[in-house]
Amino acid sequence: MTTAPSAISTPWWREAIIYQVYPRSYLDTDGDGVGDLPGITNKLDYIASLGVDIVWLSPFFKSPMKDFGYDISDYCDVDPLFGTLDDFDKLIEKAHGLKLKIMIDQVMSHTSDAHPWFVESRASRDNPKADWYVWADPRPDGNPPNNWLSVFGGSAWQWDTRRRQYYLHNFLTSQPDLNFHNPDVQQAELDALRFWLARGVDGVRMDACNFHFHDRQLRSNPPATRADNMMATDVNPYGMQSHRYDKTQPENLAFLQKIRKLLDEYGAISIGEVGADDSLAVMADYTSGGDKLHMAYSFNLLTPDFSAAHIRSQVEEFEARVRGGWVSWSVGNHDSVRVMTRWGGEDPPRALAKLVLAMQLSLKGTPCLYQGDELALTEADVPYELLQDPYGIAFWPEFKGRDGCRTPMPWASDAPNAGFTTGTPWLPVVAPHVEAAVSAQEENEDSPLNFARRFIAWRRSQPQLVRGDIAFFDAPEAVLALRRDLEGEPALLAAFNLSNEAVDFDWPEAGHADDVQGHGLPSTRARSRIQLPPYGAWYGTVKAG
């Protein structure tokens, strides 16, 4: 166990890079086909070799696994599928020895219906935990109390015959929502978080962090007025509502302040997942003032829109609203189609992976990388009969769910299941991923993996990219042109060609710049004339004054 250090004195996390590990799919050490904590510990040297700083672990707590760990039945124990508390302690010890921070994924807004809290709550209307979840009487005609919808489809209300009431579930029916208007619920979640902080955890990623509170009056949501909902697909009616009352309530700010106070006791950090109609505004609210989240990320760069205009608008709008807060820009995670396929189509070139990484790591904020993106993995094609994700099963075939981005990490191209498991993997290891395995890429100096290592190391030598302010310039649509400024350092210019065609354009700012070498991306320049090959990039510096 570790003792609580003093609160953070410097914002080291603003200079860090996060690497997300999806435990089920990282490395299986016991042959059951599912990744585990010892597997992650085994690969911490690999993670450290990337040059990242923080390892975000998706849930490994006790769970019926109906939503693969995001339905927790015990906040303070490891599911036997993943190992034991002793395995977790060993993981922490090795990570800290490698100077890696460990961030756990806390799912506070809801639990599993198998959690003892819910089992007690649903037993009657007058037990000690009767008010720990969101219960409501039916309308006179027997319908649910309002029109709120589940992210996973259909009504967000489920009838329970024990209490003869509906309970709220913003996700699966097996994921009942906690009632955060009850202070005992808030304290229980804080106590669970303290349990892990005391074991040496360095930070917390807060799942669905704007879903904690609901409107006390249970008012129905109005129809959506714009199609900007990042939490739904175009086949899901969830996006047809403006989510004014079922989430993102003002009471959440005070709860986030309680979490921040607890984290500060241990010198730990937080990042919040924000899925909202106006997510940039919520991110700004949740990270402003230095007393709530340290940083937040949204789904705004997890969409199919790979255009300079979109990326620029998202960053500029956040900067305009941020008021001293901080952002983490993510282009891939366990809920989104792999970025190589989402932005590059069925057969994307490896050059795209290098370009996307460089672009992401050149934006102002703390980058969050998803396992396998350093290998340029594409979305796996998982046939219907092998689907595991209830979201995909419900909306197939128009939406195949999240299994395609969750398939196992390929470690060795010459081993069964690419070295992930000696058993039958919980999701298939597809042929294109075997070819892109770590073992094959480590032998190729020009591979996406080795480029990622070089670029991350180079970024550390450029303080403007780590700490500088950001501004954008007009350029042809395919080009994202920006400037990073840091007092005492030359301004750093960067231009990224987001297309598969060469681009040639005049950039007056570049006429005063010196080329910067070392990043490994192709480009040429003649004074202010920038010439970028497909998925090429250019960096230059301009001396102050």
Side-chain angles (χ1 to χ4, degrees), residues 317-398:
E317 189 173 349
F318 179 82
E319 289 296 313
R321 297 180 173 190
V322 67
R323 300 189 301 280
W326 196 251
V327 67
S328 174
W329 293 115
S330 175
V331 301
N333 68 11
H334 65 291
D335 286 330
S336 304
V337 172
R338 285 262 180 200
V339 65
M340 285 292 285
T341 300
R342 193 173 72 247
W343 285 354
E346 291 300 316
D347 189 23
R350 287 191 167 186
L352 173 63
K354 300 177 182 179
L355 183 280
V356 168
L357 179 78
M359 183 274 295
Q360 181 188 3
L361 268 61
S362 297
L363 300 178
K364 181 183 177 183
T366 300
C368 185
L369 310 178
Y370 179 50
Q371 66 177 53
D373 283 350
E374 75 272 20
L375 305 177
L377 296 187
T378 53
E379 182 82 351
D381 185 12
V382 181
Y384 180 78
E385 60 271 17
L386 296 180
L387 287 181
Q388 303 292 323
D389 183 14
Y391 194 9
I393 293 170
F395 284 94
W396 190 89
E398 284 76 12

Side-chain angles (χ1 to χ4, degrees), residues 88-375:
F88 180 78
D89 293 339
K90 291 176 181 176
L91 188 156
I92 286 280
E93 182 179 9
K94 181 170 182 180
H96 288 172
L98 292 168
K99 301 188 184 305
L100 291 171
K101 308 285 189 181
I102 294 296
M103 174 182 288
I104 62 171
D105 204 331
Q106 286 289 88
V107 188
M108 295 186 176
S109 71
H110 56 269
T111 69
S112 164
D113 60 1
H115 197 294
W117 297 348
F118 187 70
V119 172
E120 182 175 354
S121 184
R122 78 189 314 181
S124 68
R125 298 192 187 191
D126 57 2
N127 66 75
K129 290 186 172 56
D131 193 38
W132 276 44
Y133 291 81
V134 184
W135 295 95
D137 292 327
R139 285 188 281 187
D141 63 0
N143 274 310
N146 59 33
N147 70 347
W148 296 352
L149 296 173
S150 163
V151 173
F152 290 161
S155 173
W157 296 97
Q158 178 66 27
W159 177 254
D160 184 78
T161 57
R162 299 160 185 81
R163 289 182 48 143
R164 292 175 174 79
Q165 285 181 304
Y166 285 97
Y167 66 82
L168 179 67
H169 62 92
N170 277 299
F171 298 94
L172 295 175
T173 58
S174 57
Q175 294 170 301
D177 275 66
L178 286 158
N179 177 20
F180 275 79
H181 292 292
N182 185 330
D184 291 340
V185 169
Q186 296 184 35
Q187 188 58 51
E189 290 287 4
L190 292 171
D191 291 344
L193 178 54
R194 184 182 291 276
F195 174 87
W196 294 104
L197 293 170
R199 298 193 90 88
V201 162
D202 305 290
V204 55
R205 181 261 187 184
M206 297 184 63
D207 180 72
C209 71
N210 58 313
F211 280 78
H212 297 146
F213 287 83
H214 65 285
D215 175 52
R216 284 181 180 271
Q217 300 177 49
L218 302 181
R219 287 171 284 189
S220 285
N221 286 327
T225 56
R226 55 181 179 169
D228 65 349
N229 193 297
M230 301 296 175
M231 289 291 290
T233 70
D234 58 3
V235 299
N236 189 340
Y238 187 82
M240 298 172 69
Q241 288 186 358
S242 177
H243 294 275
R244 188 176 302 172
Y245 298 116
D246 53 349
K247 60 183 180 182
T248 322
Q249 299 303 292
E251 295 94 333
N252 199 33
L253 295 173
F255 178 63
L256 294 178
Q257 289 172 330
K258 292 180 181 180
I259 291 177
R260 178 60 175 264
K261 184 177 180 181
L262 173 59
L263 292 172
D264 285 348
E265 287 184 38
Y266 290 86
I269 62 167
S270 58
I271 179 173
E273 176 198 43
V274 174
D277 294 349
D278 190 356
S279 56
L280 292 177
V282 178
M283 290 163 65
D285 286 344
Y286 283 12
T287 62
S288 65
D291 61 350
K292 295 177 283 294
L293 297 177
H294 293 80
M295 48 190 162
Y297 81 92
S298 73
F299 292 77
N300 293 40
L301 295 188
L302 295 169
T303 71
D305 191 347
F306 183 46
S307 67
H310 176 69
I311 296 169
R312 174 179 177 176
S313 69
Q314 297 305 309
V315 177
E316 286 186 331
E317 189 173 349
F318 179 82
E319 289 296 313
R321 297 180 173 190
V322 67
R323 300 189 301 280
W326 196 251
V327 67
S328 174
W329 293 115
S330 175
V331 301
N333 68 11
H334 65 291
D335 286 330
S336 304
V337 172
R338 285 262 180 200
V339 65
M340 285 292 285
T341 300
R342 193 173 72 247
W343 285 354
E346 291 300 316
D347 189 23
R350 287 191 167 186
L352 173 63
K354 300 177 182 179
L355 183 280
V356 168
L357 179 78
M359 183 274 295
Q360 181 188 3
L361 268 61
S362 297
L363 300 178
K364 181 183 177 183
T366 300
C368 185
L369 310 178
Y370 179 50
Q371 66 177 53
D373 283 350
E374 75 272 20
L375 305 177

Side-chain angles (χ1 to χ4, degrees), residues 480-500:
L480 185 71
L482 58 86
R483 172 176 176 143
R484 301 295 305 275
D485 290 287
L486 181 65
E487 185 176 357
E489 299 287 343
L492 184 68
L493 305 181
F496 306 93
N497 180 6
L498 310 187
S499 75
N500 59 2

